[in-house]
């Protein structure tokens, strides 16, 4: 019984939901991350290793040094002498502890570690001691209700729709507790969060005497749905649906928190981008678990708006620093782009859920773009430094980071992004595969071994690949107890000639990319079906081998003419990776003044070394692209415009800023209108 419950919860961990019965649920079910083992010394193996060896220990260390644990200790021993504002930076500081435990719990599945388990257990002792007798757990108030954090309000819930984050804290606590239970089998954390959730359900709701509020910062909706799947407690799901149904109908109505109108009437992504992404994902979960189709219809409209008008080529969202928010349609500045790392993570959650509903590869195309560019750019390759915003251009001077810096930082006072990425990266294996009946979807390409149930039997597959550096993928059937099933291989949009599933970006070259698929050496004929997959159906057996080759060439991309900041400019990508020109690779000329040919000549080189001077001078390697026929414009002292031929080096966008502040551009001029001053 416990095994089946854990399996359902794993599904939700991987950003999907499976209902308690067969009446409702996502049509497609992701293979849980615990069933997928990423190979070491590979692209994603290295990133998980960095989180395990550097990011998680760093995050736990910051919880100690920055007083996060001390807040719980104070809450366990409250007193009138405490003035919370003097030592607590933000009312959501508790979530740094929860998110770090969540990430560490995911890692425990792949890397069992008794010392880590014991450390987490000791932290939970501190957390449990801070919980009030009725289950309320919010140190910003409990430490001293007479002088709580300024954002907390003068009593419970009164400031929830503004800045208290009481329900936001519940959301991250619930996610972490579910992950911890999955990893350890211990209900210690789960019991804590159940008591807080029960407190919320008693005190916040539609009845007389309850607080008629909804989360100011969404995430509790997703987390309560996850708790319902794990515990079977219907009141958790009902509370999540209340939060969504009541939104736009309480006292606070503004676009910043997506409360300007009821959620089912919304058709445009607006306001704080992280709040928005979490809410849209929560709507999908509740729709899947309740069958409320009005939610998914609204998300369809909103997704279309994002992908068609508010989506950066790097997969980031949130154009404006003001309000960390979406801009107007086609408002996509580069130098001043905000693109918070947390917002990119929220888009992965959303796109995955859209795939689980629709079964269409276009949503995985967007997920992949965001994953390889917008998400991992937020963490240095070694796992020790972080971006809060992720701009698409830099002059080496403009302070795009929240603390006024132009480089990745070892931590932030508002640490939501470092702790968020530390919980997200270890969950990556759960996005690779999905199952529906006799169909096994291969959505992402990463070296791994996975065991899953498909077509009524257990199947074990092994992927071998160096993706994203090349397009060769080998899928081996190591074991199959299924009578027959269909392996559905995603043919990425970048192979099919589609940058994104809208007209926001398009390829501006005449390159024709191709792909081949063989099964046991015999080529498979036919094109992908409307869902974007090639379906391989047979009675699979041990030793069967599928080989996939995607023609991975540099491509030239242009933006829709309505994107004012990209007019006269082009960008370069190869496979799922967006590339950029960084000053460290292009000394002797100003990359802001480079003019690219309309038919660039590319040279692709593996093994380009980047020395991480920002953190220990440790080298790492990427595949670089050189444009051999670029020109750099300059104006002489006499006002004469001159140009010289230059070879422009490009590196993957995620790898920039490891060598200090300097110029960087994703979008580069192809005519004089695109040149920077």
């Amino acid at each position: 019984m416990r095994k089946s419950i854990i399996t359902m919860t794993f599904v939700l961990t991987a950003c999907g939901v499976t209902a308690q019965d067969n009446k409702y649920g996502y049509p497609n079910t992701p293979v849980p991350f615990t069933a997928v083992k990423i190979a070491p010394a590979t692209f994603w193996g290295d990133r998980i290793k960095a989180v395990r060896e550097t990011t998680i220990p760093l995050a736990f260390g910051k919880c100690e040094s920055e007083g996060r644990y001390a807040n719980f200790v104070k809450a366990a021993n409250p007193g009138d002498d405490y003035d919370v504002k003097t030592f607590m930076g933000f009312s959501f500081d508790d979530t740094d502890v929860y998110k770090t435990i969540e990430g560490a719990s995911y890692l425990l599945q792949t890397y069992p570690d008794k010392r880590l388990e014991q450390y987490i257990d000791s932290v939970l002792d501190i957390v449990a001691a801070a919980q009030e007798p009725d289950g309320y757990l919010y140190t910003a108030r409990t430490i001293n209700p007479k002088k709580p954090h300024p954002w907390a309000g003068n009593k419970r819930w009164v400031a929830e729709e503004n800045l208290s984050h009481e329900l936001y804290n519940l959301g991250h606590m619930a996610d972490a507790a579910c992950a911890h239970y999955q990893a350890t089998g211990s209900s210690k954390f789960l019991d804590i969060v159940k008591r807080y959730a029960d407190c919320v359900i008693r005190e916040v709701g539609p009845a007389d005497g309850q607080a008629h509020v909804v989360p100011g910062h969404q995430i509790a909706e997703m987390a309560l749905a996850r708790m319902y799947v794990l515990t079977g407690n219907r009141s958790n799901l009902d509370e999540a649906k209340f939060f969504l149904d009541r939104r736009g109908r309480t006292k606070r109505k503004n676009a910043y928190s997506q409360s300007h109108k009821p959620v089912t009437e919304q058709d445009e992504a607006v306001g704080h981008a992280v709040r928005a992404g979490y809410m849209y994902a929560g709507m999908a979960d509740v729709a899947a678990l309740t069958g409320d189709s009005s939610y998914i219809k609204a998300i369809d409209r909103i997704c279309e708006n994002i992908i068609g008008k508010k989506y950066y080529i790097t997969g980031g969202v949130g154009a404006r620093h003001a309000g960390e928010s979406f801009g107007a349609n086609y408002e996509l500045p580069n130098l001043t782009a905000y693109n918070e790392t947390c917002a990119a993570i929220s888009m992965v959650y959303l796109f995955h859920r859209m795939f689980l509903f629709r079964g269409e590869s276009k949503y995985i195309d967007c997920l992949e773009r965001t994953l390889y560019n917008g998400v991992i750019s937020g963490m240095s390759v070694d796992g020790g430094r972080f971006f809060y915003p992720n701009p698409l251009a830099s002059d080496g001077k403009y302070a795009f980071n929240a603390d006024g810096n132009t480089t990745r930082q070892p931590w932030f006072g508002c640490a939501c992004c470092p702790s968020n990425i530390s919980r997200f990266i270890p969950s990556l294996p759960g996005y690779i595969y999905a199952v529906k009946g006799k169909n096994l979807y291969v959505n992402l390409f990463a070296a791994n071994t996975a065991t899953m149930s498909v077509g009524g039997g257990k199947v074990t597959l092994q992927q071998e690949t160096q993706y994203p550096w090349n397009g060769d993928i080998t899928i081996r059937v190591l074991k199959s107890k299924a009578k027959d099933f269909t392996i559905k291989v995603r043919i990425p949009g970048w192979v099919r000639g589609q940058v994104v599933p809208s007209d926001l970006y398009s390829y501006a070259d005449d390159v024709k990319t191709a792909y081949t698929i063989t099964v046991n050496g015999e080529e498979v004929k036919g094109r992908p079906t409307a869902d974007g997959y090639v379906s391989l159906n047979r009675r699979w057996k041990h030793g069967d081998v599928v080989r996939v080759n995607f023609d991975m060439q540099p491509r030239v991309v242009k933006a829709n003419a309505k994107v004012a900041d990209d007019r006269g400019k082009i960008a370069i990508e190869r496979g799922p990776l967006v590339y950029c020109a960084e000053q460290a690779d292009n000394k002797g000329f100003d990359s802001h003044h480079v003019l690219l040919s309309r038919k660039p000549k590319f040279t692709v080189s593996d093994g380009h070394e980047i020395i991480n001077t920002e953190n220990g001078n440790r080298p790492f390697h990427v595949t670089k692209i050189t444009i051999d026929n670029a020109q750099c414009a300059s104006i002489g002292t006499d006002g004469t415009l001159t140009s010289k031929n230059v070879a422009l080096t490009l590196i993957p966008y995620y790898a920039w800023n490891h060598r200090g502040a300097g110029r960087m551009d994703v979008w580069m001029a192809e005519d004089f209108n695109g040149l920077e001053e």
Side-chain angles (χ1 to χ4, degrees), residues 4-169:
S4 63
I5 292 175
I6 290 176
T7 299
M8 288 189 291
T9 312
F10 284 160
V11 169
L12 201 54
T13 299
C15 297
V17 181
T18 298
Q20 293 281 11
D21 53 43
N22 293 324
K23 187 175 181 181
Y24 299 121
Y26 283 113
N28 298 282
T29 303
V31 173
F33 77 96
T34 49
V36 183
K37 308 302 181 187
I38 297 292
T42 61
F43 188 87
W44 286 109
D46 287 345
R47 271 137 199 85
I48 292 173
K49 179 182 178 183
V51 170
R52 177 187 172 223
E53 295 183 354
T54 302
T55 315
I56 293 290
L58 173 64
F60 276 134
K62 289 294 183 180
C63 286
E64 293 183 15
S65 66
E66 303 305 307
R68 303 300 191 257
Y69 296 155
N71 290 336
F72 288 95
V73 173
K74 291 184 177 91
N77 302 278
D80 293 345
D81 293 336
Y82 290 124
D83 186 354
V84 178
K85 71 175 183 292
T86 64
F87 53 81
M88 183 182 291
F90 297 96
S91 58
F92 49 83
D93 280 353
D94 293 354
T95 63
D96 292 346
V97 177
Y98 305 147
K99 286 185 280 187
T100 308
I101 290 176
E102 183 180 355
S105 297
Y106 295 147
L107 288 173
L108 285 173
Q109 285 292 329
T110 305
Y111 302 100
D113 186 333
K114 285 297 182 183
R115 290 182 61 187
L116 179 57
E117 279 193 53
Q118 291 168 1
Y119 178 81
I120 294 172
D121 203 57
S122 69
V123 173
L124 292 178
D125 288 337
I126 297 171
V127 172
Q131 190 163 31
E132 296 186 22
D134 66 352
Y136 187 74
L137 182 46
Y138 177 65
T139 67
R141 173 183 311 287
T142 303
I143 290 172
N144 182 4
K146 295 179 181 178
K147 287 186 177 181
H149 190 281
W151 291 0
N154 58 13
K155 61 182 180 179
R156 292 181 185 183
W157 320 120
V158 298
E160 170 54 39
E161 294 187 358
N162 189 11
L163 289 170
S164 81
H165 289 80
E166 287 154 286
L167 297 176
Y168 174 77
N169 285 14

Side-chain angles (χ1 to χ4, degrees), residues 471-482:
D472 297 325
I473 301 109
T474 298
I475 304 171
R476 301 183 188 278
V477 179
L478 300 186
K479 185 185 298 184
S480 177
K481 297 295 185 181

Side-chain angles (χ1 to χ4, degrees), residues 542-601:
H542 168 72
D544 286 341
V545 178
V546 178
R547 297 189 190 278
V548 182
N549 172 263
F550 297 134
D551 185 10
M552 192 177 281
Q553 300 182 51
R555 299 298 306 270
V556 178
V557 179
K558 65 178 180 181
N560 188 302
K562 294 178 182 178
V563 182
D565 288 83
D566 297 337
R567 289 175 191 156
K569 298 179 181 180
I570 57 177
I572 309 299
E573 58 183 42
R574 179 176 179 266
L577 296 175
V578 174
Y579 276 69
C580 67
E582 189 176 15
Q583 182 178 342
D585 294 302
N586 297 285
K587 297 185 182 344
F589 60 92
D590 189 339
S591 61
H592 276 27
H593 296 164
V594 165
L595 190 66
L596 300 185
S597 167
R598 298 195 176 174
K599 292 188 176 181
K601 295 179 180 178

Side-chain angles (χ1 to χ4, degrees), residues 283-456:
M283 289 170 65
D285 285 345
V286 172
L289 290 168
T290 65
D292 191 331
S293 61
S294 63
Y295 281 6
I296 196 63
K297 289 177 182 176
I299 305 169
D300 277 334
R301 298 191 298 267
I302 292 166
C303 254
E304 184 177 350
N305 175 253
I306 292 172
I307 297 169
K309 298 174 181 177
K310 299 190 176 185
Y311 190 50
Y312 278 92
I313 191 174
T314 56
V317 294
R320 297 177 181 173
H321 282 243
E324 301 176 329
S325 64
F326 286 99
N329 289 337
Y330 303 107
E331 181 186 344
L332 296 167
N334 295 308
L335 178 66
T336 61
Y338 200 68
N339 284 348
E340 185 179 340
T341 300
C342 288
I345 291 172
S346 79
M347 288 297 105
V348 172
Y349 294 158
L350 174 61
F351 294 142
H352 195 219
R353 286 161 166 79
M354 294 306 296
F355 161 77
L356 296 176
F357 261 119
R358 302 300 187 205
E360 297 177 38
S361 69
K362 67 180 184 179
Y363 297 112
I364 302 297
D365 290 343
C366 292
L367 184 157
E368 181 181 66
R369 177 174 295 277
T370 299
L371 184 64
Y372 277 96
N373 303 286
V375 171
I376 62 173
S377 62
M379 181 181 79
S380 62
V381 168
D382 65 294
R385 297 176 75 87
F386 309 92
F387 277 151
Y388 199 111
N390 294 271
L392 276 74
S394 172
D395 59 8
K397 300 175 183 177
Y398 178 81
F400 48 83
N401 254 331
D403 58 359
N405 284 287
T406 58
T407 59
R408 287 186 183 85
Q409 296 300 296
W411 207 250
F412 301 105
C414 175
C416 57
C417 292
S419 54
N420 211 6
I421 206 166
S422 74
R423 81 181 180 117
F424 175 79
I425 294 294
S427 73
L428 177 280
Y431 297 90
I432 296 175
Y433 302 103
V435 173
K436 181 182 181 182
K438 292 186 176 182
N439 292 329
L440 170 59
Y441 292 85
V442 181
N443 281 331
L444 297 179
F445 309 106
N448 72 85
T449 302
T451 298
M452 59 215 85
S453 180
V454 58

